[in-house]
Amino acid sequence: EPEVTQTPSHQVTQMGQEVILRCVPISNHLYFYWYRQILGQKVEFLVSFYNNEISEKSEIFDDQFSVERPDGSNFTLKIRSTKLEDSAMYFCASSDGAGGQFFGPGTRLTVL
Amino acid sequence: QQPVQSPQAVILREGEDAVINCSSSKALYSVHWYRQKHGEAPVFLMILLKGGEQKGHEKISASFNEKKQQSSLYLTASQLSYSGTYFCGTERDGATNKLIFGTGTLLAVQP
C-alpha cells in the first residue's frame, strides 16, 4: 500500500540554524500539507500546497518557513533560524483532494 | 475556531461501545476522523462530507450533522487495538483542504 515517507526521522539542531525536512508524498496525490504537533498537544496546520504553490497557510507559517517541491517526488519544509519553540513533530501529509489526508511517520525536530 | 471534542478521555473494557463527539462553532464542509497512537502519525479513518451522511468502517462508524455543525464517531464492540487518541479534523471549505484538528479524545481499551 502506498505511503507517505519522511526524512530524517529525528533532527537535532542548534538554535539559529536552518533545517530542511523532506517528504515523499503518495505518488498520485496532488495536494500536500505540513502539520506540526508539539509534544502532548493537538496537530496544527501549517501549510497546504497544490499546483506548485501555497494554497493556504496558518499564522504559524511566517517568513521563517518555506515549502518547495524541487522535483516530481519530494516536498520540503525549510525552517530558517530555528528557535527553541520550533521543537515539535512535523508531519507531512498528502491527499487526492477528494478523500482523507494520509500522514507520514513524522520528523521529530529538537532545537537546542 | 478549534473544534471541541467530548469526552476528553474514556476508558472501556473490551467489547464495550463508545461515542466521541466533535463540535464546531463554524459551518463545515467536511469532517475527517483520525486515530493516533502514542509516538505515531495520525491514521485516517474516514471523511464525511456535508449533506449529513453517515459512514461505516468495520465496527467504527460516524455521522455528520451539518446543521448542528457536529460529528460523532461510534466505536462498537471495542478491541484493544482501538486504543489511542482520536482527533476530528474539520474543513470549512473544499478549496484548500486545510484541516483544523479538534482537542482530541484519549481512548483506552482494557482487557
Side-chain angles (χ1 to χ4, degrees):
Chain A
E1 187 173 327
E3 57 183 20
V4 177
T5 60
Q6 289 184 243
T7 54
S9 57
H10 194 180
Q11 174 87 50
V12 180
T13 190
Q14 294 291 325
M15 194 167 54
Q17 296 296 304
E18 174 182 289
V19 295
I20 297 176
L21 310 183
R22 291 181 168 80
C23 168
V24 179
I26 293 173
S27 62
N28 63 338
H29 285 180
L30 300 177
Y31 296 80
F32 314 121
Y33 315 87
W34 283 101
Y35 293 86
R36 79 172 186 191
Q37 187 175 34
I38 294 170
L39 187 63
Q41 299 185 22
K42 69 179 179 69
V43 177
E44 299 176 290
F45 171 81
L46 292 178
V47 65
S48 59
F49 191 88
Y50 170 72
N51 200 25
N52 284 320
E53 59 182 29
I54 291 173
S55 44
E56 185 151 358
K57 58 184 180 180
S58 72
E59 59 276 7
I60 301 169
F61 195 90
D62 58 20
D63 292 342
Q64 186 193 1
F65 295 87
S66 61
V67 290
E68 193 178 30
R69 186 156 166 82
D71 53 44
S73 60
N74 289 281
F75 179 52
T76 62
L77 174 69
K78 182 187 292 185
I79 309 175
R80 286 179 284 273
S81 190
T82 49
K83 307 174 222 175
L84 295 176
E85 54 265 37
D86 294 329
S87 294
M89 183 72 93
Y90 287 80
F91 292 108
C92 173
S94 70
S95 77
D96 61 7
Q101 296 181 19
F102 292 84
F103 282 68
T107 292
R108 180 169 297 284
L109 177 65
T110 302
V111 182
L112 303 175
Chain B
Q1 189 172 354
Q2 174 187 340
V4 176
Q5 290 183 231
S6 63
Q8 287 185 315
V10 59
I11 300 174
L12 298 175
R13 295 282 183 195
E14 264 187 299
E16 291 182 339
D17 303 339
V19 180
I20 299 171
N21 300 301
C22 173
S23 182
S24 172
S25 60
K26 308 282 186 183
L28 300 175
Y29 173 79
S30 71
V31 178
H32 301 219
W33 284 97
Y34 290 82
R35 176 172 59 217
Q36 185 178 33
K37 294 185 181 284
H38 183 70
E40 299 180 10
V43 173
F44 172 69
L45 295 176
M46 66 187 77
I47 179 175
L48 300 105
L49 301 175
K50 69 175 183 178
E53 65 174 335
Q54 188 156 351
K55 271 193 174 177
H57 176 72
E58 296 181 346
K59 294 179 182 175
I60 301 174
S61 61
S63 62
F64 175 29
N65 186 324
E66 64 182 283
K67 288 183 180 177
K68 292 185 178 179
Q69 295 157 193
Q70 293 175 346
S71 178
S72 295
L73 185 72
Y74 307 94
L75 301 113
T76 58
S78 59
Q79 305 167 13
L80 294 176
S81 61
Y82 287 5
S83 294
T85 300
Y86 287 78
F87 291 100
C88 63
T90 57
E91 190 181 2
R92 292 197 57 200
D93 64 66
T96 64
N97 308 112
K98 170 185 175 181
L99 285 183
I100 303 299
F101 280 84
T103 47
T105 296
L106 178 63
L107 178 74
V109 181
Q110 297 178 341

